[in-house]
Amino acid sequence: MQKKPFFVLHFSEFLLAFLLIVSTVMMSFSSGGFILNFRQIGFNIFSTVQNGINTVTSSITNSVNAVKELAELRKQYEVLSEKMKDYEYMQRSNSEIRKENARLKEQLDFSQSLAVKNFAANIISRGADNLYTTIVINKGSRNGIKKNMPVIAIQGGNIGIVGKVIAVGYTTAQIMPVFDFNSSISARVQNTRDIGLVSGNGSDTLPLKMEYIKKRVIDELRFGDVIVTSGENENYPADIPIGTISHVQVLNYDTSLAIELSPIIDFSRLETVLVIDHKSPNDKKAEEGEGND
């Protein structure tokens, strides 16, 4: 037996329902309700899109500006760094110039104060050949330099013996320093006036040695006592400091003391010297004396 459908939609009924839906929609449009909703929806969508675009645009603009500012800051930093380097270089240069001026003024004042003729010179090289060590200066025979002239220097306010001229060229000269093995200077203990002989040990890093000081004066010697040139044999002017006592040793087999000296001059820092013609008067000093009269 065939069953009948529980619900059958006839055409007339379908048509009626469709007309009712169309009528409802038309009434809604005619009242303006749908138009208002569409406008609001469109406005919200447009606003959202616009805000998004503005946000993205602002982010891109800010990023570009930040990159530009960073590049500009980097350029400014590099410029300032270069200026700082230039400033530091100028400061160092000014400091070196001031020091050099101070050294030159010190040497000039000392040179003019000497009673004997002297020649200022710069050290241009140093050399060592086995037991023979030399210092070369930029003055020679054309400047009045002669063999065996003594050489002194002023360093940090201290006057000291450097050595003597052993060879002379036209524009240069060689100096044998006091620390050379072949150097031998007649000297005195400044306080006691005892006389001895000062010689070198072959290097500016080693102490000088003084011999022929009798053991009997050991109680009168003090560490730091100054040893000066004696002025005998006319090789060096008298009373020019050579070094200071740094060590005294009593030798059982010798009647003399073994004395070590620290040189007055620091040869590792020596740059300029004065070559002395101690047999000729200082013309500048004589002119000053006449002016004072």
Side-chain angles (χ1 to χ4, degrees), residues 179-196:
F179 59 79
D180 190 274
F181 275 117
N182 297 309
S183 175
S184 181
I185 302 174
S186 177
R188 291 184 184 275
V189 181
Q190 190 176 54
N191 292 335
T192 67
R193 308 308 293 176
D194 289 284
I195 193 168

Side-chain angles (χ1 to χ4, degrees), residues 175-292:
I175 299 169
M176 179 175 65
V178 293
F179 59 79
D180 190 274
F181 275 117
N182 297 309
S183 175
S184 181
I185 302 174
S186 177
R188 291 184 184 275
V189 181
Q190 190 176 54
N191 292 335
T192 67
R193 308 308 293 176
D194 289 284
I195 193 168
L197 194 66
V198 173
S199 55
N201 281 312
S203 173
D204 61 349
T205 61
L206 297 175
L208 305 175
K209 58 184 178 182
M210 187 173 190
E211 301 172 296
Y212 308 116
I213 300 296
K214 301 299 181 182
K215 288 181 178 179
R216 56 182 171 78
V217 302
I218 188 171
D219 293 334
E220 301 178 49
L221 300 179
R222 299 290 183 272
F223 294 117
D225 279 353
V226 179
I227 307 302
V228 298
T229 53
S230 68
E232 296 183 0
N233 303 324
E234 297 185 348
N235 290 328
Y236 294 91
D239 295 320
I240 302 295
I242 303 171
T244 58
I245 295 177
S246 58
H247 181 73
V248 178
Q249 185 177 4
V250 178
L251 302 176
N252 295 328
Y253 58 83
D254 199 336
T255 59
S256 300
L257 298 171
I259 302 175
E260 292 184 353
L261 309 178
S262 297
I264 292 292
I265 298 299
D266 183 352
F267 285 88
S268 65
R269 296 182 176 182
L270 187 62
E271 299 179 59
T272 59
V273 298
L274 289 173
V275 182
I276 303 298
D277 183 359
H278 60 294
K279 296 179 181 180
S280 302
N282 188 344
D283 296 335
K284 293 181 180 179
K285 185 72 174 178
E287 289 174 4
E288 289 180 3
E290 292 175 0
N292 293 332

